[in-house]
């Protein structure tokens, strides 16, 4: 008999004891489905009686998604490619597909499985939601603004980038339009802050295992708002229509929070991004060892705790202020400056490195400056975007 920690909550009652699963309890599903422990821990079958994410669109900013995967067919709305010929394939390891990561995240959010009754393969926590695939290696800010302008309700950001002039401004733009933004805090196992999770108004997500313990490589700092499953994840892959793998990371945790948000958005369409976050925060849980520590929440490692979608959907929780528990940006978002969102640093950084070159002859100086700027941008772009596994 296998023992797993449940993250499930019934109406008004959080269950943080052990959930005993009979060895044959998932015999009707294949091996991939039987390894999707978050669905059992969350009590997904009961959750889907409340909401499935129907009518909700989740924008997925990724390096690619295999839309023809057997667990994902029919789950997409039109998206857009922002890569401009630079897709990030140069950083892939042997055997990896540029669509692996995005396909995995799409499956966690809105997979429908396959076979009789969809009982095989990967099923998402919000199988009624639709995915807007935005391919945006090194141009994530433009994708963020596009998502906000084209009907996305949620933007999933399972990656880290070097902050540019429009990283946080584009997110503010989305928040102004009522879009909920969810991002992973990173897999360094350190106090390091990463963007976009560090931008104001973003729900920052760390990873937790099936026993309610924080994953050892999940970053810890004040950008951690919530935890979600991210260890020993059963995932769809992009290398074929029937490929699967197992992996760990705050990427998967981020996708589970985005899926939970999709469920809440369906049931509570009038709540603001901050009020949606409030429902997740007010119903978040901690494992018994952490409860015994009397942690001051939000905690750098645990945030407010791990999400409990069933409770978030069913408990009587006042809407509260529009900003909820999030540190929301102040004022309206500015329009992007020329070149912003293209993987560039702020203009001042480039200017300081090229200022000395203006002294020479006008024609020669212009040529040299242009060459240096191009070289700097290319160099920075090569290492700028990093998907959280």
């Amino acid at each position: 008999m296998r023992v797993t920690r449940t993250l499930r909550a019934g109406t008004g009652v959080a269950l943080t004891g052990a959930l005993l699963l009979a060895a044959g309890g998932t015999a009707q599903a294949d091996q991939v489905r039987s390894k999707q422990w978050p669905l059992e821990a969350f009590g997904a079958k009961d959750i889907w009686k409340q909401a499935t994410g129907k009518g909700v669109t989740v924008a997925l900013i990724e390096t690619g998604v295999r839309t023809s995967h057997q667990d994902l067919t029919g789950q997409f709305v039109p998206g857009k490619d922002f890569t401009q010929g630079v897709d990030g394939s140069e950083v892939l390891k042997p055997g990896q597909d540029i669509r692996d990561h995005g396909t995995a995240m799409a499956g966690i959010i809105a997979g429908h499985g396959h076979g009789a009754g969809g009982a095989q393969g990967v099923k998402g926590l919000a199988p009624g939601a639709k995915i807007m695939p935005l391919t945006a290696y090194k141009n994530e800010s433009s994708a963020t603004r596009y998502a906000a302008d084209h009907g996305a309700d949620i933007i999933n950001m399972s990656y880290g980038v070097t902050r540019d002039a429009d990283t946080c401004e584009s997110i503010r733009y989305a928040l102004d339009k009522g879009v909920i933004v969810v991002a992973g805090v990173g897999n360094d196992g350190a106090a390091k802050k990463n963007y976009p999770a560090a931008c104001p108004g973003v729900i920052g997500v760390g990873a937790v295992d099936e026993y309610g313990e924080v994953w050892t490589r999940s970053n810890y700092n004040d950008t951690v708002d919530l935890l979600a499953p991210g260890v020993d994840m059963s995932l769809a892959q992009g290398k074929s229509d029937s490929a699967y793998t197992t992996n760990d990371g705050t990427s998967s945790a981020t996708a589970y929070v985005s899926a939970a948000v999709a469920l809440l958005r369906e049931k509570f369409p009038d709540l603001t991004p901050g009020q949606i976050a409030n429902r997740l925060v007010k119903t978040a849980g901690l494992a018994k060892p952490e409860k015994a520590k009397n942690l001051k929440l939000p905690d750098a490692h645990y945030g407010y705790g791990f999400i409990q979608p069933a409770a978030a959907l069913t408990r009587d929780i006042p809407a509260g202020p529009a900003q909820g528990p999030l540190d929301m940006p102040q004022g309206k978002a500015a329009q992007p400056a020329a070149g912003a969102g293209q993987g560039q640093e702020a203009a001042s950084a480039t200017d300081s490195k090229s200022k000395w070159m203006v002294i020479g002859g006008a024609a020669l100086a212009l040529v040299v400056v242009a060459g240096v700027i191009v070289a700097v941008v290319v160099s920075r772009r090569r290492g700028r975007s990093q998907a959280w596994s």
Side-chain angles (χ1 to χ4, degrees), residues 120-132:
Q120 300 177 43
V122 168
K123 189 155 187 177
L125 183 59
K130 295 295 184 182
I131 300 291
M132 179 189 293

Side-chain angles (χ1 to χ4, degrees), residues 135-210:
T135 309
Y137 182 73
K138 301 176 182 174
N139 204 359
E140 295 84 3
S141 296
S142 294
T144 300
R145 289 177 180 270
Y146 179 92
D149 287 336
H150 289 80
D153 300 288
I154 302 151
I155 303 177
N156 186 88
M157 299 179 170
S158 293
Y159 58 81
V161 297
T162 300
R163 182 181 180 179
D164 67 30
D166 201 35
T167 299
C168 293
E169 280 298 303
S170 62
I171 288 172
R172 184 190 305 202
Y173 180 80
L175 292 168
D176 286 348
K177 288 179 171 284
V179 180
I180 302 149
V181 182
V182 187
V185 298
N187 302 340
D188 308 291
K192 176 184 177 183
K193 290 186 180 182
N194 290 299
Y195 289 90
C199 290
V202 173
I203 300 175
V205 183
V208 68
D209 67 17
E210 61 184 309

